[in-house]
Amino acid sequence: MVNLDDFSQNESDNGDKLLEKLTRLKVDFFSEFHKQIDANRSYYNLDFDDSVIPEGWRDRLPPVIPPTARRAVDEAADHILYIPRIKVPTRPTTSKFITEEQLADTKRKFINAWWSQVTQRYNPIGDGRKSLIREGRICIKQTLRWNIIPDRDKMTARKYKSALDKLGRYEFLWDLELLDNKAVFEDPSNHRDPGYVFIEYEIVKEEAARLFPEGRGRWTDLDDYEKVIYTEYWSRPEFNSDGTWEPGDYIQWINKERVNQEENPYPYVPVVIEDAGFGDRLLRIEAARPLGVEGEVDHHDGVLLDDADEEDD
């Protein structure tokens, strides 16, 4: 398996300033956060007996690990509503009140329909509830499905207008992806409206070749099922006082080799990062610890060590 931490700045950034920036983010801001995630995942998976049983006692003292840590997360997650309850207030008006009521109801139905599609197709909040509690945040990437949007340059004005009228009638326009918290490296100064976000995770070379059929990097010589590192970078556009704006960047790498670079088509970074609301998040990068997990592990640590001391006596 490829270890993302094995890529040092000098050996693999290829002189790319953005990749050097990503390396600094990993080392200076996110290393402790990732350690917390790994620890919390081991607690949740009840896979921490080696950390509480002395090495000499592991063969003679089989651990008894109650599922308290897992239940602390699961029971809290079960109380999180993953289909939002939509309310659209009626705006104050000097005209007919019934008209504003109808408008509010129309908006509510539209938002409900949108969330119904999101839940049926992707269910990001439902699938991310446990990570939200266990790791202190949730990260979701929301992008348009550009492949179903008509190309104005390839059709007549009449056909283009007809295609726009039908757009969204048969296909949902949005693609939502729940991201692993360890795969996201955001601007540490503002996670809710970040100036930039890096996303990095492993894929197999076969998928990389499918995404970038014209790729020419060294990774193309690998076996189809070898792991490669996929990295992408989004930056926020710059808005000017006259109403104009300079688009941000969207860049992709495979094994630290650039395979695509274009403008960010959105007026924002299309990655939503939200805190769980439990605990503190200093500098926007420290994970909130789920209530109950750490305390239970410390308690069992003491019980097991006491039992080992008594048996030794």
Side-chain angles (χ1 to χ4, degrees):
M1 176 178 288
V2 179
N3 187 345
L4 301 182
D5 296 329
D6 288 342
F7 287 83
S8 66
Q9 178 175 344
N10 294 330
E11 293 178 355
S12 62
D13 288 344
N14 296 331
D16 193 312
K17 296 297 184 183
L18 285 176
L19 292 181
E20 292 177 6
K21 186 173 186 176
L22 173 58
T23 299
R24 292 295 304 275
L25 277 174
K26 290 179 183 179
V27 174
D28 296 345
F29 289 96
F30 286 91
S31 59
E32 286 300 319
F33 177 46
H34 286 186
K35 289 178 183 177
Q36 292 176 21
I37 289 179
D38 290 338
N40 281 3
R41 289 179 181 179
S42 69
Y43 298 157
Y44 179 79
N45 294 324
L46 308 180
D47 182 24
F48 54 87
D49 49 301
D50 287 350
S51 64
V52 295
I53 299 178
E55 185 174 357
W57 286 89
R58 290 173 188 170
D59 294 334
R60 294 179 290 167
L61 185 65
V64 177
I65 302 177
T68 312
R70 183 189 293 269
R71 288 178 55 193
V73 174
D74 289 349
E75 292 181 3
D78 287 342
H79 288 79
I80 295 178
L81 184 68
Y82 58 91
I83 302 177
R85 184 179 180 183
I86 308 299
K87 290 185 177 181
V88 178
T90 302
R91 298 180 61 182
T93 179
T94 56
S95 60
K96 293 182 179 180
F97 181 76
I98 189 66
T99 302
E100 291 300 326
E101 261 192 343
Q102 291 172 343
L103 285 173
D105 189 55
T106 300
K107 293 176 182 177
R108 181 187 60 78
K109 289 178 179 178
F110 171 80
I111 298 173
N112 266 327
W114 191 89
W115 269 108
S116 177
Q117 287 290 323
V118 167
T119 302
Q120 290 177 22
R121 292 171 180 268
Y122 311 109
N123 195 30
I125 298 179
D127 292 344
R129 290 178 295 173
K130 293 178 182 178
S131 294
L132 185 68
I133 297 295
R134 185 180 63 226
E135 298 164 12
R137 72 172 186 175
I138 190 172
C139 303
I140 300 172
K141 184 170 74 170
Q142 177 181 315
T143 54
L144 280 169
R145 299 173 61 194
W146 294 102
N147 60 308
I148 67 172
I149 296 178
D151 189 340
R152 177 65 181 86
D153 297 331
K154 295 182 179 180
M155 56 182 65
T156 63
R158 177 175 293 180
K159 288 185 177 180
Y160 180 69
K161 184 178 183 302
S162 176
L164 284 181
D165 290 341
K166 297 177 182 178
L167 190 61
R169 187 177 301 175
Y170 307 108
E171 291 283 351
F172 191 56
L173 286 177
W174 294 95
D175 182 40
L176 277 77
E177 180 183 358
L178 177 65
L179 301 171
D180 186 341
N181 282 324
K182 291 184 66 175
V184 180
F185 305 86
E186 76 273 17
D187 174 7
S189 64
N190 187 351
H191 68 287
R192 286 198 173 92
D193 185 21
Y196 57 86
V197 170
F198 290 92
I199 302 171
E200 186 169 84
Y201 51 86
E202 292 178 341
I203 60 176
V204 295
K205 180 259 181 178
E206 183 181 54
E207 183 180 357
R210 185 165 55 247
L211 292 172
F212 308 103
E214 299 180 0
R216 295 292 183 268
R218 289 169 292 178
W219 59 271
T220 58
D221 298 326
L222 299 175
D223 181 78
D224 279 352
Y225 299 109
E226 286 191 59
K227 297 289 185 65
V228 296
I229 296 178
Y230 169 76
T231 309
E232 68 182 44
Y233 168 81
W234 297 89
S235 66
R236 187 177 55 198
E238 297 291 335
F239 294 91
N240 303 317
S241 58
D242 60 359
T244 60
W245 57 290
E246 299 294 331
D249 294 318
Y250 174 48
I251 305 173
Q252 296 167 289
W253 295 262
I254 296 293
N255 277 0
K256 310 299 181 180
E257 298 179 10
R258 290 199 184 199
V259 291
N260 182 52
Q261 180 171 348
E262 56 189 71
E263 293 180 352
N264 176 3
Y266 309 101
Y268 49 82
V269 173
V271 179
V272 177
I273 303 170
E274 190 53 66
D275 301 330
F278 304 107
D280 297 325
R281 185 181 173 93
L282 304 176
L283 294 179
R284 278 68 168 190
I285 57 173
E286 291 190 3
R289 303 291 292 218
L291 296 176
V293 173
E294 200 170 24
E296 291 298 334
V297 172
D298 290 341
H299 168 70
H300 296 312
D301 187 352
V303 170
L304 290 170
L305 289 177
D306 288 343
D307 289 344
D309 290 339
E310 290 176 6
E311 193 168 329
D312 191 33
D313 293 339

